[in-house]
Amino acid sequence: MPKTVFITGTSTGIGAAAVRLFAQHGWQVAATMRNPADAKFQDLPNVRVYALDVTDAAAAPRAIQQAHADFGSLDVLINNAGYGLVGPFEAATDEQIQHQFATNVFGVFAVTRAALPILRAQQSGVIINITSVGGRTAFPMNSLYHATKFGLDGFSESLWYELAPFGIQVKVVAPGGVATDFATRSLQMTIDPANDADPYAGQVRSVLAAFNDRSGNASSAEQIADVIYTATTDGTAQLRYIAGEDAKGILGAKTQMSEAEFSTMIKQNFGLNG
Ligand SMILES: NC(=O)c1ccc[n+]([C@@H]2O[C@H](COP(=O)([O-])OP(=O)(O)OC[C@H]3O[C@@H](n4cnc5c(N)ncnc54)[C@H](OP(=O)(O)O)[C@@H]3O)[C@@H](O)[C@H]2O)c1
């Protein structure tokens, strides 16, 4: 019997690449997305598309149970849906903060809670949380995004212990930069960086320019999907998978440098003074 993977946020990017990769390996795939009309998986017979906005906590159990009933199994959950909120913390609205956490954190909680009774009853399963290099180190002007991804990283590490006795593996895939819609269509800003009257505009422009300069180092969504597939199928209890040479480089540097050296390097890399 083929195994079944349930993936959130599969309209574009890493989620869409993961759907294709698992389907090509013969898995049954529950591809979930906010708007099923965005699905581009008509060529993949073992993929079913379900509507799921992860901020709708009531919708998560419905989608999980429907996929479980349709495929007759549920083996792996990949919590991938997420987006970045960039810009100064001071300028973020309550709504922006709540929506960032509702998507990147509470959405993961809702879908994971919906899947756990099934995985625990069968005494097997893998839960993959897509965090970020930004769940292990922080860059300027991304405080709220980092808060969500650091949160998810700690959540996952604790859950790793809690679920091991039930045969459930928890894993984190932490990508560096990835060429997807993340930095374009999906990105939300707390200020308009073109507004010279804003006291943070200069910093934001420097940070965005630095990210843009490094976009040539980005991994492809397919490369990250490969890491997700390895994490799912390697049969080990490894918790974290750092995905992308850029992510490995920066996290390696963090372990080798003092805090002062590291923060000086980050300021230089992002063109920040002071
Ligand atoms: N790209 C990077 O540089 C990078 C680096 C590190 C980590 N990540 C993480 O990787 C994950 C995937 O991002 P990506 O790079 O593939 O970007 P992407 O192309 O923008 O894809 C993000 C996906 O998440 C979905 N999504 C957003 N809010 C949602 C919600 N409330 N409910 C359900 N789905 C929702 C989007 O759906 P819609 O089409 O409906 O908007 C889209 O399918 C995210 O968790 C992101 O934080 C990305």
Side-chain angles (χ1 to χ4, degrees):
M1 168 113 178
K3 291 194 165 190
T4 302
V5 57
F6 184 103
I7 312 177
T8 66
T10 64
S11 63
T12 56
I14 297 168
V19 169
R20 292 204 158 270
L21 185 62
F22 278 84
Q24 283 156 7
H25 280 282
W27 286 63
Q28 301 179 140
V29 185
T32 74
M33 62 187 72
R34 286 195 279 203
N35 182 4
D38 293 339
K40 300 172 199 80
F41 309 125
Q42 290 79 358
D43 56 319
L44 300 169
N46 41 346
V47 175
R48 284 175 188 251
V49 176
Y50 300 88
L52 178 58
D53 180 332
V54 297
T55 67
D56 179 353
R62 283 201 299 271
I64 287 276
Q65 282 156 23
Q66 189 63 53
H68 186 226
D70 289 345
F71 285 119
S73 59
L74 176 69
D75 302 282
V76 177
L77 165 62
I78 300 175
N79 286 306
N80 165 73
Y83 72 95
L85 176 61
V86 172
F89 167 70
E90 182 183 346
T93 64
D94 286 350
E95 193 187 9
Q96 285 178 319
I97 296 171
Q98 278 156 9
H99 196 257
Q100 175 76 145
F101 276 80
T103 306
N104 292 12
V105 181
F106 301 137
V108 173
F109 293 172
V111 181
T112 303
R113 288 176 85 196
L116 276 178
I118 297 168
L119 304 184
R120 193 173 39 73
Q122 72 196 18
Q123 297 276 298
S124 69
V126 182
I127 298 170
I128 309 262
N129 292 331
I130 308 304
T131 59
S132 169
V133 63
R136 302 292 289 169
T137 195
F139 305 118
M141 286 297 153
N142 282 262
S143 58
L144 291 161
Y145 180 67
H146 288 303
T148 66
K149 295 297 189 179
F150 271 69
L152 212 48
D153 185 80
F155 167 72
S156 305
E157 184 170 332
S158 183
L159 212 58
W160 183 94
Y161 294 103
E162 184 173 318
L163 297 179
F166 302 108
I168 302 169
Q169 295 173 347
V170 178
K171 296 180 174 232
V172 162
V173 172
V178 193
T180 64
D181 290 355
F182 182 82
T184 53
R185 169 181 75 89
S186 302
L187 198 71
Q188 303 288 317
M189 301 285 306
T190 68
I191 65 162
D192 174 4
N195 177 11
D196 286 325
D198 190 290
Y200 293 101
Q203 277 193 71
V204 174
R205 285 201 292 260
S206 287
V207 168
L208 291 177
F211 277 125
N212 199 35
D213 286 349
R214 281 165 184 70
S215 58
N217 299 333
S219 303
S220 66
E222 289 71 25
Q223 287 173 311
I224 306 304
D226 279 339
V227 177
I228 295 171
Y229 191 77
T230 298
T232 303
T233 56
D234 68 7
T236 73
Q238 182 176 333
L239 168 62
R240 286 191 189 85
Y241 296 73
I242 309 301
E245 292 311 309
D246 57 344
K248 288 177 188 163
I250 193 86
L251 294 179
K254 193 169 188 176
T255 62
Q256 283 156 17
M257 293 169 125
S258 70
E259 198 169 272
E261 287 167 343
F262 187 78
S263 59
T264 299
M265 181 191 76
I266 292 291
K267 282 205 276 189
Q268 281 167 355
N269 287 354
F270 285 95
L272 301 179
N273 306 311

